[in-house]
Amino acid sequence: MKIRKLVERSSEIFMANRKMLFIVFLYIAIMHMLISEIGTVLGGLFTLMALFIVTPLYHGRITASYKVIKQDAPLDIRMDGLCGFVRFKELFSTYGWIELINLILLYLALFGIYALVLGETNVLGLEASLLSGKVSEIALYRVVQILYLIALAADLVIRWLTNLFFFAAPYLLETRQIRGLASLKASVRLMRGHKRDLFLLQLRFLAPAAICFFLNYFSAYYLSAWLYSFAGLAITLLEIYLYQAQYQVALVLFFEQIKEEVQDEFNEI
């Protein structure tokens, strides 16, 4: 698979449709931000519920990308932007399983990391001493920051690894109406021999993604809540323009190439 030509083709399609793609992707991103913010404000179980609700919203990116590639229908801001809500029941059976697996693996990984790092440390005693003021506020801040970074890194690595196996699941849902665990199993089959190609494609967009990630991280730590809200929106605009829209188009082209290369196996699914 020639990744360079695939990226060049995705760039051409993006440039020809960038205005409408930008608007649709921004619409989806704003809906995602609003639901996530509501879940954060309400806290507790609502934060977890928001995580599962927002995940299917991204499917609108796939439907929009297919439209600009096939040119079989015009982009519709509401239809594609609200795809995750309109088709939520259909989409959740696939996206929900992916998110659940990610969470289970994340908690297992964090448990193992903390057990390895803390060793025989009395965690409850450490927490009590931190809260009682025996450790300065700066030290407490550093501890929380380190734990947050560990959790964030573990989450990113796990999502990247599971994506290498379950990448095709949302596209099978869209093209073959295969849902739930069946789509995940079919994706694992189709991705045999193609995980390296997907990794190489991801590397093509790593630089702009890394820039936006660090901008978002530093904004979260060094800006007030109100300023971070505005900075978050600005960074979202930058993400969509720099790589997200073109990257999604490239992913659809990548899946279509997989279909062509394993057409016989694909027809058997």
Side-chain angles (χ1 to χ4, degrees):
M1 185 177 293
K2 296 181 179 180
I3 301 299
R4 181 175 60 81
K5 289 186 177 181
L6 188 151
V7 173
E8 290 174 354
R9 176 60 179 152
S10 69
S11 179
E12 293 173 2
I13 295 172
F14 168 66
M15 294 303 293
N17 301 273
R18 62 179 175 180
K19 182 179 179 179
M20 285 301 296
L21 279 174
F22 183 84
I23 295 173
V24 171
F25 276 53
L26 179 59
Y27 191 93
I28 294 171
I30 291 174
M31 298 299 295
H32 177 279
M33 291 172 66
L34 287 174
I35 296 175
S36 297
E37 190 64 28
I38 292 172
T40 302
V41 171
L42 294 176
L45 184 60
F46 291 101
T47 304
L48 185 62
M49 289 174 59
L51 182 65
F52 280 87
I53 291 173
V54 298
T55 304
L57 297 185
Y58 287 123
H59 196 78
R61 295 178 178 181
I62 295 177
T63 61
S65 298
Y66 263 114
K67 285 182 178 180
V68 297
I69 290 171
K70 296 184 176 181
Q71 295 292 315
D72 58 352
L75 287 178
D76 186 294
I77 297 174
R78 290 187 176 180
M79 183 179 296
D80 295 308
L82 294 176
C83 172
F85 287 113
V86 176
R87 298 169 55 188
F88 184 81
K89 184 177 180 181
E90 172 194 359
L91 299 172
F92 185 76
S93 61
T94 295
Y95 285 94
W97 272 111
I98 294 175
E99 195 60 45
L100 180 62
I101 291 172
N102 283 332
L103 283 176
I104 292 173
L105 292 176
L106 175 62
Y107 282 113
L108 289 174
L110 290 178
F111 178 80
I113 291 170
Y114 292 153
L116 179 64
V117 171
L118 296 176
E120 299 299 322
T121 303
N122 185 340
V123 179
L124 294 178
L126 175 62
E127 183 180 3
S129 67
L130 289 172
L131 295 177
S132 65
K134 294 179 181 179
V135 179
S136 69
E137 291 185 4
I138 295 177
L140 175 59
Y141 172 78
R142 294 304 179 195
V143 170
V144 172
Q145 189 179 44
I146 291 171
L147 294 179
Y148 175 76
L149 283 173
I150 291 174
L152 186 62
D155 185 53
L156 289 174
V157 170
I158 287 169
R159 288 181 183 278
W160 172 69
L161 288 174
T162 56
N163 180 250
L164 293 179
F165 290 90
F166 303 145
F167 160 77
Y171 302 90
L172 289 169
L173 187 155
E174 184 64 25
T175 59
R176 297 291 297 271
Q177 287 73 54
I178 303 174
R179 311 174 189 175
L181 285 174
S183 67
L184 271 61
K185 293 176 181 178
S187 176
V188 172
R189 278 181 61 188
L190 290 178
M191 290 306 293
R192 289 172 185 164
H194 294 96
K195 289 187 281 293
R196 177 178 174 275
D197 293 327
L198 178 57
F199 174 63
L200 293 176
L201 175 60
Q202 292 169 339
L203 284 180
R204 292 277 182 163
F205 296 89
L206 180 61
I211 291 171
C212 293
F213 171 80
F214 284 110
L215 284 174
N216 196 20
Y217 172 76
F218 286 116
S219 298
Y221 265 98
Y222 296 107
L223 295 179
S224 64
W226 283 104
L227 285 176
Y228 175 63
S229 297
F230 289 106
L233 181 58
I235 294 170
T236 298
L237 293 172
L238 188 63
E239 286 175 337
I240 296 171
Y241 185 79
L242 285 182
Y243 76 95
Q244 278 187 356
Q246 184 188 341
Y247 179 50
Q248 183 58 70
V249 173
L251 290 177
V252 172
L253 292 173
F254 179 80
F255 175 75
E256 291 299 309
Q257 281 199 17
I258 292 177
K259 280 173 55 179
E260 293 178 6
E261 292 179 12
V262 292
Q263 189 63 51
D264 292 338
E265 184 177 351
F266 184 80
N267 291 333
E268 293 176 1
I269 294 177

